[in-house]
Amino acid sequence: MTRLLSREELERELLAVGERQYHDLHPFHQLLHGGRLGHGQIQAWALNRFYYQVSIPRKDLTIMSRMDDHELRREWMQRVLDHDGLGPDGQVDEGKVGGIERWLRLTDGLGLERDYVRSLKGILPATRFAVDAYVNFCASRSILECVASSLTELFAPAIHRERIAGFEQNYDFANDSTLSYFRKRLDEAPRDVRFGLQYVLDHARTPEQQQQVIAALRFKTELLWAQLDALHHAYVSPGLIPPGAFVPADMEATRYTR
């Protein structure tokens, strides 16, 4: 029987998940941050990642709808506002701009039409399935597991700093506007994870609950990894772009044959 871990041991187990399998270790990110992807490949990454970004508020509102504690809902609401922002699309007041608008600034800078990005028509099937699996996870698992799945934010600041540095060094689309999402998350992610980690350590009180929160975080890292697997397969090697998915101008779609 699995024994009850101390708070310190549980925290170490959670951190170890990221050390083993956070998606900063994925070969696609190594190429992306190292300046070894073409413009169209980066467009494909940003386009597909937008589906994840736009689904984060859906995921968080799904969790909130299942929270009985109004104080917990109030705490969690900030995550929705961080991504949806305040006011209309195209908001110019930086204090009201959300993460979705900031991500669209990135796709703007990469030369993608906003209407096309927002239509979600060009995303990979695997992107849709992976992200939808996360929303469904948060609709069906315990609140404790849902909060634990958000703890990938433990590892996010490091990847954002690496991404900012890599983009500035290697790509001409990098500027204050296109990098604003990642810079903003350097402040938001640590705040979110302080609350989330405290909640998990306080509420995972049995060996079963502790194993559940570790598994929930592992699920989230696998979901992020799977998205990059799909991108690498479609746009790097072997370069098989599924029918209907975005085809960059500097790439040719390889036709699937029976």
Side-chain angles (χ1 to χ4, degrees):
M1 179 177 178
T2 304
R3 68 177 178 86
L4 182 67
L5 303 174
S6 69
R7 291 173 66 92
E8 292 75 17
E9 288 173 325
L10 178 56
E11 183 172 353
R12 285 199 295 272
E13 287 293 321
L14 293 168
L15 290 170
V17 172
E19 292 169 359
R20 289 192 304 268
Q21 60 194 85
Y22 190 55
H23 63 165
D24 61 335
L25 301 172
H26 196 283
F28 189 91
H29 269 172
Q30 303 299 316
L31 296 172
L32 177 67
H33 298 164
R36 289 175 286 166
L37 291 184
H39 188 78
Q41 292 169 316
I42 301 172
Q43 286 181 313
W45 165 75
L47 177 69
N48 278 270
R49 179 75 181 193
F50 179 75
Y51 187 54
Y52 177 78
Q53 300 303 141
V54 82
S55 296
I56 290 174
R58 292 172 50 221
K59 174 267 297 184
D60 286 324
L61 288 167
T62 297
I63 296 173
M64 287 177 61
S65 73
R66 303 175 57 232
M67 289 175 171
D68 295 326
D69 186 337
H70 72 278
E71 292 185 359
L72 183 55
R73 289 197 301 270
R74 188 162 55 237
E75 177 70 34
W76 212 259
M77 174 59 77
Q78 186 59 50
R79 296 169 184 249
V80 177
L81 298 178
D82 285 345
H83 283 83
D84 277 346
L86 298 168
D89 291 349
Q91 176 65 247
V92 295
D93 182 344
E94 287 300 307
K96 297 182 178 180
V97 173
I100 293 173
E101 171 65 25
R102 293 181 189 278
W103 197 270
L104 287 168
R105 292 176 180 179
L106 171 63
T107 56
D108 289 345
L110 288 166
L112 293 168
E113 294 291 336
R114 282 200 178 202
D115 286 347
Y116 178 68
V117 175
R118 296 183 74 101
S119 76
L120 307 175
K121 291 179 180 178
I123 65 174
L124 297 170
T127 298
R128 190 181 301 276
F129 290 137
V131 174
D132 288 352
Y134 186 30
V135 177
N136 291 334
F137 178 95
C138 293
S140 60
R141 299 302 182 97
S142 69
I143 296 299
L144 179 60
E145 290 171 284
C146 294
V147 174
S149 71
S150 75
L151 293 182
T152 46
E153 298 290 4
L154 283 165
F155 324 115
I159 200 173
H160 291 324
R161 285 191 289 269
E162 180 182 320
R163 185 168 295 154
I164 290 167
F167 282 6
E168 288 182 330
Q169 180 177 346
N170 296 301
Y171 301 112
D172 58 10
F173 67 83
N175 55 48
D176 288 344
S177 178
T178 57
L179 300 183
S180 64
Y181 174 84
F182 311 112
R183 291 201 170 101
K184 186 66 173 176
R185 289 305 294 167
L186 290 175
D187 296 324
E188 294 172 345
R191 178 208 63 210
D192 290 347
V193 83
R194 280 193 297 271
F195 175 83
L197 180 59
Q198 186 71 35
Y199 183 93
V200 168
L201 296 178
D202 286 345
H203 290 82
R205 298 175 181 140
T206 68
E208 180 182 15
Q209 288 174 327
Q210 290 181 337
Q211 293 307 308
Q212 286 174 345
V213 299
I214 294 169
L217 182 56
R218 188 179 302 119
F219 165 80
K220 176 68 174 302
T221 59
E222 290 170 350
L223 175 151
L224 295 170
W225 195 279
Q227 292 180 66
L228 294 181
D229 277 347
L231 281 164
H232 196 280
H233 186 271
Y235 296 104
V236 179
S237 178
L240 296 175
I241 301 174
F246 170 68
V247 180
D250 56 2
M251 294 181 65
E252 291 185 3
T254 300
R255 293 187 177 275
Y256 283 88
T257 57
R258 294 182 180 179

